[in-house]
Amino acid sequence: MGYHGEEITSQYFLDTKIRYIHQNPVKAGIVEKEEEYLLSSCGEFYGVRKCPIELAPL
């Protein structure tokens, strides 16, 4: 286990990593839906609310 960096080589790979990150608060039981976690960019991805950190275009 541990950290091992991976180069993002495709849009599909990037999308899978974004989904994984957005699902972490759900799996931890902090929220029921990924877009409910206020410190995540997920709400902005879904157009629910602005993210506390400005996102660069993909």
Side-chain angles (χ1 to χ4, degrees), residues 1 4 8 14 17 19-21 24 26 29-30 35 38-39 44-45 47-48 50-51 55:
M1 244 189 179
H4 61 282
I8 297 173
L14 175 61
K17 298 307 172 188
R19 278 193 300 275
Y20 170 80
I21 292 167
N24 282 335
V26 177
I30 298 170
E35 63 270 19
L38 297 178
L39 300 177
E44 190 160 326
F45 272 73
V48 176
K50 290 295 283 179
C51 178
L55 301 178

Side-chain angles (χ1 to χ4, degrees), residues 26-41:
V26 177
K27 290 179 182 178
I30 298 170
V31 294
E32 288 186 24
K33 299 178 191 173
E34 57 191 13
E35 63 270 19
E36 294 173 346
Y37 191 62
L38 297 178
L39 300 177
S40 171
S41 61

